[in-house]
Amino acid sequence: MAQTRSGPVRSEVARRSILSAAAEIFAERGYDHLTIEGIAARAGVGKQTIYRWWPSKSDIVAECLLERALLPEQLALPDTGDIRHDLTAWLRSIATVVDSDSGQPLMRSLIAAATENADIGRRLRDSLADADSLAARLRAAAGTEPHLRPDTPYVELAEALVGALVLRVLSRSPLDDAVVDRLVTAIVGPARS
């Protein structure tokens, strides 16, 4: 006798529609004006469909970020071949997002979603260890920067940088150019003269 699956089947079309609607509304009106009702209406699904898969708008926003449906250009680490330049540009881009009207709530929602949902937390952490990650980029720069050696713990170094960003967001501390420069120096060492 064949076993049947209990519970709702997650429609990939509905999931993508929900994430797309959330990203669109966020871009148009910001995090504070993002509602489950608005997402459901734009996605053409019922609120219960959304709540079946995501317990809060923070979880939806987190998934949008993790799937690069939200702010993909601003949060992507550039790759010019110069890790110092790329880290500086990336951190300044993050600072621009964080300093925007919806940036602080967005980042705090990602942190909250990761805290409340182990799967989101794991996916966020795993995104640091994939082939296109910060850790991989730092590892690839070994030898081009004296501070980055082959035996450097790159995953932990990447986690330390992301942790510094999280602390800045949580404490609402500025992420100005001086802070960005100090963070880059802490990660890759002082610039060569």
Side-chain angles (χ1 to χ4, degrees):
M1 192 167 157
Q3 286 187 333
T4 59
R5 184 187 185 284
S6 63
V9 175
R10 190 170 184 171
S11 162
E12 183 62 18
V13 171
R15 186 184 79 81
R16 291 206 175 277
S17 181
I18 291 164
L19 294 177
S20 176
E24 289 169 6
I25 294 168
F26 181 91
E28 292 167 8
R29 300 176 44 207
Y31 181 81
D32 291 336
H33 298 286
L34 184 68
T35 65
I36 297 296
E37 293 80 8
I39 295 169
R42 182 153 317 173
V45 301
K47 289 189 316 185
Q48 69 279 10
T49 300
I50 294 175
Y51 282 120
R52 189 177 304 135
W53 299 328
W54 296 281
S56 70
K57 73 177 184 178
S58 293
D59 290 296
I60 298 170
V61 168
E63 191 155 341
C64 284
L65 283 167
L66 289 170
E67 294 206 4
R68 306 218 188 279
L70 190 60
L71 305 171
E73 297 84 25
Q74 294 93 326
L75 300 180
L77 179 62
D79 188 359
T80 65
D82 179 343
I83 192 66
R84 182 178 303 279
H85 175 270
D86 293 346
L87 283 176
T88 301
W90 180 63
L91 289 170
R92 287 183 178 152
S93 183
I94 290 172
T96 300
V97 170
V98 170
D99 289 342
S100 71
D101 290 339
S102 56
Q104 283 280 334
L106 168 69
M107 294 304 187
R108 285 193 304 276
S109 75
L110 179 61
I111 294 164
T115 301
E116 295 169 5
N117 183 319
D119 181 54
I120 290 174
R122 276 190 298 277
R123 288 174 59 203
L124 183 60
R125 191 208 176 281
D126 289 348
S127 72
L128 295 174
D130 71 11
D132 298 321
S133 73
L134 176 56
R137 291 289 307 288
L138 291 168
R139 185 178 292 109
T144 63
E145 292 288 339
H147 190 68
L148 298 176
R149 299 183 319 269
D151 62 341
T152 299
Y154 290 105
V155 171
E156 290 78 5
L157 194 60
E159 289 174 346
L161 180 55
V162 172
L165 293 173
V166 168
L167 286 174
R168 290 259 163 200
V169 169
L170 290 175
S171 66
R172 293 169 173 83
S173 299
L175 188 58
D176 57 27
D177 287 349
V179 171
V180 166
D181 291 343
R182 287 193 303 273
L183 286 172
V184 171
T185 297
I187 297 300
V188 298
R192 291 180 270 192
S193 303

